[in-house]
Amino acid sequence: MTCSVQTFSRCRCVPMLSVMAPQIPTNTGRRLGERIHLDDVFIAWRVDEVLPGRLRDRPRPVEVGRLIDVSVSGASIVAPGAPELRPGRAVVIRLDDAEAVVRIRRISDFGDEDFRLFGVEFIDSDLVFRDWINGLLSARRPDEHGLGWDRAD
């Protein structure tokens, strides 16, 4: 049975059409690309933050975090937890001379009461930081001479 324009709103096919239509997830919060596990990559966490004072603000001592894994869109970082660090909060991180601004997307317990596992999304980064990530990703890709076209497996 086909539906005409006049009877389409009363047709029994309408619920079936909505079920059969492909559902495209939007804003899933999932990282893009492959996650690359890292060994002992330490970063400065919460760079450029200040502690408000009565007379003047003073710089917050930089904390140390550890990058667990990284992808093109985000990372997992183990770092000291704090009550003011909540999902949605932006944090500046530094790796040597490279800086990036990340947004906290999730916070999980890590097994130590002083540290948390932060799932972060890259918001902005300088060219050095992007080159570092792209270097990690390109090291995992086959080069143009060995793309695997000569194998049948």
Side-chain angles (χ1 to χ4, degrees):
M1 174 180 182
T2 60
C3 300
S4 68
V5 175
Q6 291 83 14
T7 62
F8 188 74
S9 61
R10 295 182 304 220
C11 179
R12 292 184 202 165
C13 299
V14 173
M16 189 58 130
L17 289 174
S18 64
V19 170
M20 293 173 56
Q23 301 298 314
I24 300 171
T26 58
N27 197 15
T28 61
R30 300 283 181 178
R31 275 200 257 165
L32 298 175
E34 175 186 7
R35 292 181 185 206
I36 300 172
H37 179 74
L38 304 172
D39 293 321
D40 295 332
V41 176
F42 295 96
I43 58 167
W45 172 252
R46 299 179 74 180
V47 177
D48 296 339
E49 289 188 21
V50 295
L51 297 172
R54 280 186 23 203
L55 299 176
R56 71 177 140 173
D57 297 341
R58 63 182 203 269
R60 168 184 289 285
V62 175
E63 298 172 343
V64 176
R66 180 175 173 229
L67 278 170
I68 301 295
D69 61 37
V70 70
S71 73
V72 94
S73 64
S76 294
I77 299 172
V78 173
E84 64 270 15
L85 295 177
R86 297 179 300 278
R89 167 95 187 261
V91 176
V92 178
I93 62 173
R94 183 178 296 139
L95 174 69
D96 296 328
D97 293 331
E99 282 192 1
V101 180
V102 298
R103 174 165 289 130
I104 298 172
R105 289 296 180 194
R106 71 182 189 301
I107 303 172
S108 307
D109 288 333
F110 186 67
D112 184 331
E113 66 183 47
D114 296 331
F115 289 87
R116 300 286 180 266
L117 177 63
F118 295 92
V120 299
E121 170 188 19
F122 297 127
I123 298 173
D124 190 22
S125 62
D126 61 18
L127 187 58
V128 177
F129 195 88
R130 282 186 297 233
D131 284 347
W132 178 73
I133 290 177
N134 288 333
L136 289 173
L137 294 171
S138 66
R140 308 268 298 205
R141 294 183 191 124
D143 63 2
E144 55 202 38
H145 300 293
L147 289 175
W149 295 106
D150 56 347
R151 293 189 311 235
D153 50 321

